[in-house]
Amino acid sequence: MSGYDSTTRVSSTVDTHALLKALQNLDGRSRLLLDRDGRLVWASDEAVRELWEATGLAIQEGRLDRTCDMHQQEIRLLLDVGKGRMETALLRTGRGKEPLFIHATAIDERHVCWVLATGRSASEARLPDLQESFGLTPCESNIVSDLYEGRTPQEIARLKHSSIHTIRAHIRNSYRKLSVNCREELWVKLNSCTP
């Protein structure tokens, strides 16, 4: 009998480090492999640098340095991600740096993989035509693009010389049309639509 059974292991000798580096080479996104306590199992140099530059989080003595209170809640969410689920957090430093999106998925009961995407790489991604794909108005489409690039509603209001209440109304309408409830869901949905 020929064919491939998805429960059959092809090879148990795949090097985890080589696999993660290959995935990074394929999609250009840095990755970290951590245990549930924040101890580093593997990370590319790019991932460590990107994490530090965007959020101020550092790897100290093989552990994620969580002395900074700024991102405690998001980090706990990302380390506690359930099996078969994905969590996304948007981390900012307020130092004028691009925001950092971290997507976390459970590898097994003890390990999680973080995939990093900066606001810069998000803005370089080609979004689908939001008006055609999701029925957004031109204004809603522009605001969603700004949210996707990591801007806050307050920043968008300032850029567009509009009131925060108007921007929030457009965001609510856009979320309804996109069937999402928060910025993380919006980013995940749009990220899945980009080539």
Side-chain angles (χ1 to χ4, degrees):
M1 180 176 190
S2 65
Y4 175 75
D5 178 2
S6 63
T7 61
T8 304
R9 263 203 162 142
V10 175
S11 172
S12 61
T13 61
V14 172
D15 176 16
T16 305
H17 304 291
L19 176 62
L20 290 169
K21 187 66 175 172
L23 290 171
Q24 179 177 323
N25 290 338
L26 283 173
D27 66 9
R29 296 203 174 154
S30 303
R31 288 173 169 73
L32 296 98
L33 184 59
L34 302 154
D35 73 8
R36 299 289 183 153
D37 293 325
R39 282 188 292 274
L40 183 66
V41 175
W42 179 89
S44 64
D45 291 338
E46 300 90 351
V48 173
R49 185 175 51 253
E50 198 173 331
L51 189 65
W52 166 251
E53 288 176 357
T55 67
L57 292 171
I59 304 296
Q60 301 284 341
E61 299 176 8
R63 282 185 82 91
L64 187 62
D65 178 21
R66 297 190 288 168
T67 57
C68 172
D69 291 334
M70 182 189 264
H71 304 298
Q72 288 295 322
Q73 183 177 357
E74 293 90 350
I75 290 171
R76 190 73 260 157
L77 174 78
L78 295 168
L79 289 174
D80 290 343
V81 63
K83 190 172 181 180
R85 294 189 40 101
M86 182 178 80
E87 293 290 345
T88 300
L90 171 67
L91 305 182
R92 299 180 74 112
T93 61
R95 293 187 281 178
K97 302 287 185 186
E98 296 288 341
L100 182 72
F101 291 94
I102 302 178
H103 305 289
T105 187
I107 302 295
D108 55 31
E109 296 80 29
R110 298 178 322 179
H111 300 95
V112 295
C113 181
W114 287 6
V115 179
L116 310 179
T118 62
R120 180 174 37 253
S121 63
S123 66
E124 291 168 358
R126 290 189 324 261
L127 288 176
D129 182 329
L130 298 173
Q131 294 174 51
E132 183 179 309
S133 299
F134 300 106
L136 301 183
T137 66
C139 187
E140 290 168 346
S141 180
N142 289 333
I143 290 170
V144 165
S145 294
D146 286 340
L147 287 171
Y148 182 75
E149 291 174 7
R151 290 188 181 89
T152 66
Q154 292 80 6
E155 291 170 328
I156 296 168
R158 227 178 4 263
L159 285 170
K160 303 211 178 298
H161 305 287
S162 187
S163 80
I164 188 66
H165 303 292
T166 301
I167 298 301
R168 287 188 176 143
H170 286 303
I171 292 171
R172 278 192 303 276
N173 290 336
S174 300
Y175 281 8
R176 182 180 44 76
K177 291 176 182 179
L178 288 158
S179 301
V180 298
N181 297 308
C182 63
R183 182 195 298 239
E184 289 80 16
E185 288 179 13
L186 170 76
W187 198 86
V188 169
K189 182 164 195 159
L190 294 180
N191 194 46
S192 68
C193 299
T194 59

